[in-house]
Amino acid sequence: MIQRIKNYLQKTLGIEIQAKAQGNRSFPAYLGWSFDFYKVILAGHHCLLALQKPEAHLTPLAIDKGVAILSARTKGTVVFACETMPAYERQRLVLRKIPFIIPNRQLYLPFLALAFSEFGTKKPRSFEALGNGAQILLMRWWNGFSTSFCLTEAMESTGFSKPTVLRAFDELEYFGVARRQGKDRRLFFLGTPWQQWVKQRDSLPSPCRRIIGLEALPPGLEAISAGTEALARRSSLNPPEWREVAIFHTDYSRNRQREIPAQDAPVRLELWNYPPLPMPDGGVDPFSLWLTLKAKQNERLQLCLEEMMGRVL
């Protein structure tokens, strides 16, 4: 990585630098876990290069705080560097006036009045909310199925197409939920499941797009217990007199039946925007279940939702 930085500066600025490894004993231990340090001279300026370790996952805010602490300790200029970073996060570093070098992507060195970025890049994408692809990846993380994904794994586990999964990766990075790292651009979630659940739950929509009533389930249709039926399995709520189950909406389009009003039906079938995750007790995952019931104006039901989540988290 340090050699890539040298080559990039040589190609971009026409300068050669000498980098000397700097021990981390002078800095707080947690910074040593996130960075490797090098003493460098850039156009006559003595600087400390803080190179982010591959396993570290730092937000622009965390980088800002780390650089401020290092600057105070060294009483000099600190330049942040890492292997890769999304364009919108680089923009946040620029807005915070944090010097940084991303080899072959961008450098921003305000103390030298220098700023270069890659040629011909697209404008960073912006999003209003997490889509279905991003939401199901979150659910798989929150429910303990996986802590990271490469593109192929995400496609196989969700059943979504490559463009949908790529958009999901972009959305999760945009909202600071995850970050891609390494040569295979593997997606790693940031923080703990509890932290991200508290942060994201109120903005996530219910996965249920429609509820239909049926006399009976179509033969061979693999539906998963949902709604109050699933909640009754995980709390003190009494089970309903009817069946409540969920499937991915595309599965129903291939097995259509005669529909009746849902409020009078012995089977209430929820059509979801993503494939429901089956849990060991036969119900849908608790996080998605919470989202489908959070808007219900029923005090008893809401208490049972809290009871269920208290057992999960």
Side-chain angles (χ1 to χ4, degrees), residues 32-181:
W33 300 333
S34 300
F35 298 103
D36 290 321
F37 302 106
Y38 294 87
K39 290 181 178 179
V40 300
I41 302 177
L42 289 173
H45 288 259
H46 290 262
C47 306
L48 179 70
L49 183 66
L51 178 57
Q52 179 179 291
K53 294 182 177 180
E55 63 272 18
H57 309 294
L58 302 177
T59 64
L61 178 59
I63 294 168
D64 190 7
K65 290 181 177 179
V67 168
I69 292 171
L70 293 169
S71 296
R73 291 294 182 94
T74 61
K75 294 181 172 55
T77 302
V78 177
V79 178
F80 168 77
C82 67
E83 183 175 324
T84 185
M85 177 179 284
Y88 58 86
E89 289 198 354
R90 285 182 261 146
Q91 181 63 25
R92 292 175 186 175
L93 294 185
V94 172
L95 292 175
R96 294 174 183 270
K97 300 189 183 304
I98 300 172
F100 67 87
I101 300 172
I102 316 293
N104 300 317
R105 287 293 181 183
Q106 188 172 358
L107 67 81
Y108 174 69
L109 304 174
F111 59 93
L112 296 178
L114 290 173
F116 289 93
S117 61
E118 65 273 35
F119 176 78
T121 54
K122 297 180 181 179
K123 182 180 180 180
R125 301 178 71 180
S126 61
F127 304 96
E128 295 183 359
L130 293 173
N132 297 328
Q135 191 162 325
I136 187 60
L137 292 178
L138 266 180
M139 295 303 163
R140 296 193 70 84
W141 176 43
W142 284 338
N143 286 285
F145 288 93
S146 182
T147 57
S148 65
F149 293 94
C150 69
L151 180 62
T152 301
E153 291 168 349
M155 291 171 61
E156 291 176 350
S157 63
T158 63
F160 288 141
S161 65
K162 182 177 180 180
T164 299
V165 172
L166 285 173
R167 180 185 175 89
F169 280 22
D170 289 343
E171 291 171 348
L172 290 166
E173 283 196 313
Y174 181 80
F175 288 104
V177 181
R179 176 176 292 175
R180 280 173 277 202
Q181 296 280 344

Side-chain angles (χ1 to χ4, degrees), residues 182-201:
K183 294 181 179 179
D184 63 349
R185 307 291 287 140
R186 190 174 189 86
L187 188 81
F188 291 90
F189 290 100
L190 304 177
T192 66
W194 165 251
Q195 290 170 335
Q196 290 292 356
W197 166 249
V198 170
K199 182 179 178 181
Q200 303 296 334
R201 63 185 176 185

Side-chain angles (χ1 to χ4, degrees), residues 6 14 61 107 149 163 183 206 224 236 274 282 284 309:
K6 290 181 178 180
L61 178 59
L107 67 81
F149 293 94
K183 294 181 179 179
S206 167
I224 304 171
S236 55
Y274 53 77
V284 298
M309 298 310 295

